[in-house]
Structure formats: C-alpha cells, structure tokens
Amino acid sequence: MKKIISKYIIIGSIGILINLSSCKDYLDYQSPSRLNVEQVYSSAEYTNTAILGIYNKAAGSRVYGNNLSISFPNGADDFWIRGSANYDVSGQGAISTYGESPTNQNLLNTFSQLYEGIERANLACKYIPSSDLYQKGAADVKLKMKRYYGEALALRALFYLELIRNWGDVPASFIPSADLESQFTTHANRDSTYDRILDDLKLASDLVGWRAEVPEYKTYRLTKAAIKALRARIALHRGGYSLRTDTKVMERKPDYEKYYRIAFDECNDIIKSKQHNLNPVYENVFKSLHSGTARFDNDANEIMFEIAMWGAINDSDLARTYGLQFTNTADPWGQGGGGAKAVPTYVYEFSGVNDSRRDVTLGFYEVRDGAMKRPVSLINLTCAKFRKSWTQFDKTSPSLQFGVNWPIVRYADVLLMFAEAANELQDFSGALTPLAALEQVQRRAFGSNPIPSPPAGKAAFFNAIVKERLLEFGGEGIRKYDLIRWNLLGTKIQEVRANILKIALNAPTENNSYANLSEFIYFKPAAFRNGKSSEEVASLDLYGGTPETVFYTRNTVNPGGAYSSVWWRRELGIWSNGVLTNPSIYSDSNTGYMLKFEPNKKELLPYPDRVITENRGGITQNFGWQ
C-alpha cells in the first residue's frame, strides 16, 4: 500500500495547498505556497483550504467528471457505452461492456486519484483533532474545525466506497502514508473497511451541521443530511451482495439486517429533519447542475451533495461526451454529448408521456444542421440529463468541458433507500410508511396522472423499488451498483437480451409487450428551441402522429417525399423465415449487448496491472480477470 501511496498519492501531502476555483465560486480561496503540515492545521483558514483540496480529488475526468460517472457505472439496464467492431480493451467502452484489460489506463487513473484523495483526508483526520484550534480554540473556531474534520471523514468514506464497490477487497489505510510501518501491504477485508467508514460517518454526522446551520455550504459541501445519506448508502452495500474473493460467488452476510437498520435509521432522521424535499419539477433537478443556469433547487434542497466541476483537469465530460447530442460545430451550441446510449428496452420501462422522467432522462433526438432536431434510432437514444444547451457555453467557447456538476446524492434516493430498508425489515414505525416514501417519488414523476397500483406484499414491494430506482436514477451512476448489491445484474442483463429478441420478433406472442413497433420512423427536421424536455419531444415532426403514437405502435407506410427515415425496431434485427438477420446488438461479440459479462466473475473490475507489479505481490488480481 505504501508503494502505491508513495508513487501516486504522496502528492496529496506535498501539493495540498493549491489554488482552487469552481464554477459555483464556492472554492474561491487562495492558499499559501510554503507551509508544513502542522502549520496548515494551526490555522482555520488554511485548514479549510486543505479540506477543499480533498474535495478537489473528487472532480475531474478521472473520478466523477467521467470515469465514475460515465465509464464505470454504465453497463446495466439503463445506459451503456457500446463496443465497436475494432474492440479496444483500453477504451472507456470496454469498461462499460466488461471487456477491459488490466492495462486500461482509465482503471489506474481512477484507482490512483481515489487514493490521492484518501491520503489528503488521512492527513486532515490526523492533524485536525490533535490541533490546538480543535482542542482549545475559541468556540466558533472549534465549531469550524470540527466541521472540517467531519468533512474529511466523510470524503474518505466516499472514496473508499468507490474503491470497494469497483474492486472489492482493496488496501485500506486510515493514517498518512508517512506513518505506515511497511512499504507494501495487501488486500483488506471489505467488511472491515465498510464497518470502519460507517463508524467514521456516524462521528462525521455529529460534527457537521444541517444545511440550515451551514447555508454557505449549499450543495457543494457535505452537511449532516448528506453524510447520513452516504452512510445509508454504504450500509446497504455492506448489507447487500458482493463478489467474494474467498468463495468466488456473489454473497451477502447473515447479519445483513443490521445494516438495513442503519440505512433505515439514517434515512428516517433525514426525513424527520425536514431539511430537504423533492423538487416539484424533475427536470429542474438536473438543470441546477449546469453552469450558467439559475438554481432551480434552492427551495427544495433535493440535491444534497454534488461535485463541483470547473477548469481544465477539474472539469467534467458530462455535457461534452455524455449528454444530449449536438453534432454541428456551426450550430449555436456547437458540438457535445452522445457518448453513452440507452439500452434499447429502457424507453419502454417508462409509462410513456405520463411519466415526466422519460423525456428528461432519454434523448430522443440529436440537434444539428441549423439547430434542428432529428430523432435518433432506437439504439442511439442518449442520456439527456446533461446538456450543453443548459450551460453558459456555445459554439464560440474554446472549452471542451462545460462546468456540469455531478450529483452524489438526492433526497429522492433517501426516500427510496428508506422504503427499501423499511420493507426489508418490515418496520412501519418511521416518519413515513414504505409505501408513502415510494409514492412521494412516483407522484412527482406522474403529476396529475395516476401512479402505479400499490404493490401487495414484501416481495412485490421490493420489485417495485427495483423498478422505481431504474426510472428515477437512470444515467446517474447508481443502477449497476444497485443491481450488484441485490445480486440482480446478471438477471437483468439476460432479461434485456431476451427482450431485444422480442422487439425484433415484433409479433403478439405470449408475454411480448414489445409487439407491433415500427421498423422505421419517418420525420421532418423540427426547430430545437431549448425548451422544456417534454415540449421538445412533443414537437418532433413525425409521420403518423405524436411520439406517443409513433414510438409505440406499428406503421407500415413509407410517406416518402419530404420525410426522412431512421431505424427503430429494424436496428435490433429482423426475423425472416425463422432466422434473425442483422442481430449485431444481440450476437456480435464486440458490439453486442453485454456479451462479455460473466456472472460471479465480472461484478468487480480488474486491478490495474501497474498496481500489482509495483506492489510486488502484495495485491493479487481479482479472480474474474486472471
């Protein structure tokens, strides 16, 4: 471990005092250039800067600006980065399709930066509580120092969560690298690490105030509710399934209910605090993450914690490579988006236009040729929660990144985690019933339309949670990890593959809810006005009626003339004389949907080969990649 730290992480201690800035201006602090560590923590101002240096390690493309928001978590039943005919094991798409190599540089970059953040946090966690300011300072200064200590504990826990759920039994150290006795170390049992950071988060939540008590923190720094929500999330992972290195199967421990109890208690505290609520407009949650937009989340405080992005290495790729697709450099917004695609069955999980989340989550069109929108094919729907057109940037901007922040936790997640934990424990003593928590999320989504019927029984309620989290958090880096902790990733991948065949079959056979979809969609380009998501989709100029008709029913007429066409059902293959033709998304080993996934092997990532080499045998490769 020290070998890893000394090479990749020690910059955390010698470069911690840096000039930091943010698109939201919350990191506008200047720091001195030459101070030793003890001097840093003898000043509240300098300590604050050191804490901002930990936050800094969560930003940028190596962590939540790309890898932990786009490449690593997309590979389930919401979004994925499709492989290519010339499959590149070193590319980001290879991680999304479970075909990467341990030599993939993205693995090393993320692994290293997470440990850089941990090193910075370890320094703060050592020196803050032992400082004179923390122990004997004036009351207001002691309050600040306690808050900074809580933030450091919580950020360290966040970094370890990402390491564990991606790599499993990772090395774990809770002291600065200079204090380690051995230069090399080995894997730490993930359960022990989880238990340690759960304890740390319990302490952190006592040290950091509620949002109302620290209003200057807004959504960009951790407050009590965000820390409690993070603790609930980690508890559900600790109590869930994971791929075990000793048994080589997906397992959860017999004491899992203990951790569901932690999740229940933490979420219940947040709900009772009334510090946060759901934004009444789903779309505005995501607009609030974009630079140059109004803060649509101020009243509801739904976004509990987000990673601020801005400037060169600390920016994100969320609008440049991930979001709604803009393809023409001459158009008002220039180019951006389109990198990840929706799994072709995902659109049909939504209840059409009745669910307001559909048109926010899914990009049904691209913008091109004079700011005109054109529908895309069924396998090219994008994640539309992030859009260059929602930022302050246009075609004249020299930047390749656009200051779009990444949401770590929202109040909707608290409600659904609470509902899940209460249902598992069959505990109805909380501030809400499990059903009331679930229905709060559904009512926001469905507005005046009827919400789904209440599920009857524990198993049915769990299935409703599984479905609701798919709809609520699509494209937010949550779904794959949810499916893993439920041991449903392989099951859902196989369900998608079976449903791809049903779409291609296009016949009203038993249990085929995808029957009678059109082979092609015919359209005329329509003006993109950067309006509400629902209005932009509704105003697509489609032959045969509204999107609610065209996307869901068969059309056999080719109108010709001024209409252009785009593949819909046809892109998934066509049945001819009992043979499926053009089924690349189903059967091509490189471009097909999740053909490289292997259950009980690929739920964890491979360790970067450089980490294994430089640790001289202290770290062994995850068995699914040996």
Side-chain angles (χ1 to χ4, degrees), residues 52-74:
L52 297 179
I54 308 173
Y55 281 98
N56 178 267
K57 284 301 174 182
S61 62
R62 294 183 172 190
V63 189
Y64 291 110
N66 187 310
N67 286 1
L68 290 182
S69 55
I70 305 173
S71 304
F72 286 33
N74 280 319

Side-chain angles (χ1 to χ4, degrees), residues 8 23-24 32 55 81 106 124 158 194 216 240 264 267 269 299 304 313 382 409 420 496 565 616:
Y8 302 127
C23 58
K24 310 298 184 184
Y55 281 98
I81 303 173
N106 294 293
L158 175 63
Y194 271 143
E216 66 271 24
F264 175 94
C267 292
D269 283 351
D299 294 331
M304 301 170 71
I313 62 172
T382 56
V409 63
E420 178 186 348
V496 169
S565 66
R616 300 184 183 178

Side-chain angles (χ1 to χ4, degrees), residues 36-52:
N36 62 40
V37 175
E38 289 84 357
Q39 288 175 309
V40 170
Y41 298 102
S42 66
S43 160
E45 180 182 358
Y46 296 162
T47 301
N48 184 51
T49 300
I51 298 304
L52 297 179

Side-chain angles (χ1 to χ4, degrees), residues 6 10 94 137 189 228 369 383 433 477 523 528 533 557 569 594:
S6 62
I10 197 66
N189 180 278
K228 284 178 167 289
D369 303 334
C383 179
T433 66
F523 69 94
F528 174 69
S533 298
V557 176
R569 175 181 61 83
M594 302 308 167

Side-chain angles (χ1 to χ4, degrees), residues 433-436 438-439 442-443 450-458 460-462 464:
T433 66
L435 181 60
L438 170 63
E439 288 185 341
Q442 292 174 328
R443 287 194 184 100
I451 63 175
S453 300
K458 181 178 178 180
F461 193 90
F462 171 73

Side-chain angles (χ1 to χ4, degrees), residues 153-154 157-158 161 194-206 222-239 258-267 269-270 304 408-409 414 417:
L153 289 167
L158 175 63
L161 168 64
Y194 271 143
D195 288 344
R196 169 64 188 265
I197 61 178
L198 286 170
D199 288 343
D200 285 348
L201 288 168
K202 180 66 173 68
L203 173 59
S205 69
D206 293 333
L222 288 153
T223 53
K224 186 185 294 287
I227 292 170
K228 284 178 167 289
L230 177 60
R231 188 166 188 253
R233 179 178 292 173
I234 291 174
L236 290 177
H237 279 282
R238 172 66 172 90
K258 169 184 175 182
Y259 299 96
Y260 275 79
R261 173 60 60 188
I262 291 174
F264 175 94
D265 290 341
E266 295 291 13
C267 292
D269 283 351
I270 297 167
M304 301 170 71
I408 295 294
V409 63
V414 171
M417 287 192 294

